[in-house]
Amino acid sequence: MSVSSSPTIDTGQPSLGTPGIGALLVLVIGTLLLGYAYGPAQGALFLVGGALGIALYHAAFGFTSAWRVFIMDERGRGLRVQMILLALAVVLFFPFLASGTLFGHEVKGSVSPAGIGVLVGAFMFGIGMQLGGGCASGTLFTAGGGNARMLITLFFFIVGSVLGTVNFDWWTSLPSLPPTSLVTTFGAAGGIAVSLVIFAAIAGITVLVEKRWHGSLENEAPSPRHGFERFLRGPWPLVLGAVALALLNFATLSIAGRPWGITSAFALWGAKGAQLIGIDPTAWAYWQTPANAKALADSVFADITSVMDFGIIAGAMLASSLAGRFAPSWDIPLRSVLAAIIGGLLLGYGARIAYGCNIGAYFSGISSGSLHGYLWAAAAFAGNIIGVRLRPYFFFERKILLRTDG
């Protein structure tokens, strides 16, 4: 997720406006209709998606921006909060993933092979994060919040996703380790302990780096709002955003039987779009697996990931209206449009061949103890370094110089 400069916060009284009222109606009516047509769980997951959109927007919880700030300015507060997010998630997830049940329902983690496809795809995704201006969740919540440029990124994210399904079987044929989880390797308690040590080490590194370059750690900026008004209209403390995302991912696990994901829906939307223009995606191996073939044949409203994505967009629109920030503008510089196109394609293609994005592979993968989640994080961070150095060619930012003074 990218946290770019935002309009000045309106400190007046809450006013939903037409976009906010429309988003609220969509969330309420959509929950009821989905529950009626596809069962209570589908309606509940749409509502969870809405809550995710609100939390993402109000907390401006950044993956893209947090990594960029650390790379550019050696400020690690965003990365440390990500470690809090992951720590909360593994403590919640691991006991139930080890038992295989949660509230009487079968559950399984997001665990995938760790190989060349993950390395290449995550690296591409990392570059795309910085050029596109956001990650998977960031693209959805900023687009829903009224960022017109992110609609361009989202469109080409979808195009890149469906392109990634064309030769997905070739990427999966490359050398890789089998799906491996810390939960099955060390057990729930052992896996939690190993995970917390890793998270603490990463947080510690950010502290050392930040203190070395700045002498002290950055504090969160004071909020112009307090109490219930801050909760309703934002901005939320970053840690509150982490807690909300961890709890909502756990809710997703309990209702859907698996953790939160985003980008498989983009591939599905792209494939359905391809069918509309006469292209037959069923000829590609990716769409011949039983689960994907069924998703392609069914309505998008029967797809869990799609429904949650729709909820995120509606929730972010509601949150941005409450915050007084919903003001789309199509005055987008050409170079910024080009960056959105390139970034979107890299994001989509990279996510498919890497078994997920910053949510499905990084957040939910590591929350499931998956080795591929850690490999994804390392490769994506490397891609972000390249992406940060490419940004000045597309945006009006200072150029990043490689330091040679140690």
Side-chain angles (χ1 to χ4, degrees):
M1 283 168 275
S2 177
V3 184
S4 55
S5 58
S6 301
T8 302
I9 295 175
D10 172 20
T11 56
Q13 294 301 313
S15 177
L16 277 178
T18 302
I21 294 172
L24 184 60
L25 288 174
V26 166
L27 286 170
V28 173
I29 297 173
T31 298
L32 295 174
L33 290 177
L34 286 167
Y36 175 78
Y38 298 100
Q42 199 76 340
L45 288 167
F46 179 65
L47 203 57
V48 170
L52 284 165
I54 293 171
L56 288 165
Y57 190 91
H58 274 340
F61 194 93
F63 290 88
T64 301
S65 60
W67 290 10
R68 180 168 66 247
V69 168
F70 185 68
I71 293 166
M72 291 178 65
D73 298 324
E74 295 84 26
R75 290 294 191 184
R77 184 168 62 91
L79 271 173
R80 289 191 290 276
V81 175
Q82 287 182 26
M83 295 306 107
I84 294 173
L85 168 72
L86 295 174
L88 289 172
V90 299
V91 170
L92 288 171
F93 278 45
F94 279 21
F96 298 101
L97 292 177
S99 69
T101 59
L102 173 58
F103 302 139
H105 302 291
E106 181 181 353
V107 294
K108 62 180 181 179
S110 296
V111 183
S112 299
I116 293 175
V118 174
L119 280 171
V120 175
F123 183 77
M124 293 173 63
F125 191 95
I127 298 174
M129 287 169 75
Q130 297 302 333
L131 297 185
C135 51
S137 49
T139 300
L140 286 178
F141 95 76
T142 50
N147 188 319
R149 178 183 179 275
M150 295 308 290
L151 292 174
I152 301 172
T153 298
L154 177 58
F155 177 81
F156 285 96
F157 202 143
I158 293 168
V159 173
S161 295
V162 74
L163 290 176
T165 68
V166 175
N167 58 351
F168 179 79
D169 54 327
W170 181 80
W171 287 103
T172 59
S173 70
L174 298 178
S176 67
L177 296 174
T180 304
S181 170
L182 297 180
V183 178
T184 55
T185 303
F186 299 105
I192 290 173
V194 171
S195 300
L196 294 182
V197 168
I198 295 172
F199 304 152
I202 294 172
I205 290 171
T206 69
V207 169
L208 292 174
V209 170
E210 187 167 348
K211 284 187 172 181
R212 177 187 177 189
W213 288 103
H214 299 281
S216 62
L217 300 182
E218 180 185 25
N219 294 318
E220 189 161 12
S223 172
R225 302 190 184 113
H226 304 280
F228 180 72
E229 186 189 14
R230 185 178 185 184
F231 176 78
L232 183 66
R233 304 185 66 195
W236 291 0
L238 202 53
V239 172
L240 176 58
V243 172
L245 294 182
L247 292 176
L248 290 168
N249 199 350
F250 185 70
T252 303
L253 179 70
S254 66
I255 299 170
R258 51 86 168 159
W260 179 24
I262 287 181
T263 56
S264 64
F266 294 175
L268 177 62
W269 303 348
K272 285 184 174 292
Q275 288 179 321
L276 291 177
I277 60 175
I279 299 172
D280 182 17
T282 61
W284 309 330
Y286 180 91
W287 298 106
Q288 292 172 1
T289 64
N292 292 336
K294 185 177 186 305
L296 188 57
D298 290 344
S299 164
V300 292
F301 296 108
D303 178 56
I304 289 172
T305 307
S306 293
V307 163
M308 292 190 68
D309 286 356
F310 297 148
I312 290 171
I313 295 172
M317 183 177 291
L318 174 60
S320 67
S321 297
L322 286 169
R325 291 181 174 181
F326 190 86
S329 171
W330 287 100
D331 184 17
I332 309 170
L334 181 59
R335 285 193 297 176
S336 184
V337 171
L338 182 60
I341 293 171
I342 297 172
L345 291 171
L346 290 171
L347 287 165
Y349 193 91
R352 270 312 80 222
I353 68 173
Y355 299 104
C357 59
N358 61 296
I359 299 301
Y362 176 46
F363 180 20
S364 292
I366 290 179
S367 299
S368 303
S370 180
L371 177 62
H372 103 284
Y374 288 96
L375 183 64
W376 189 98
F381 189 81
N384 271 262
I385 294 174
I386 303 301
V388 164
R389 284 159 173 75
L390 292 174
R391 281 180 64 90
Y393 296 101
F394 297 95
F395 307 100
F396 295 104
E397 296 179 339
R398 59 185 173 87
K399 292 193 175 182
I400 311 305
L401 301 178
L402 290 172
R403 286 191 170 89
T404 58
D405 53 353

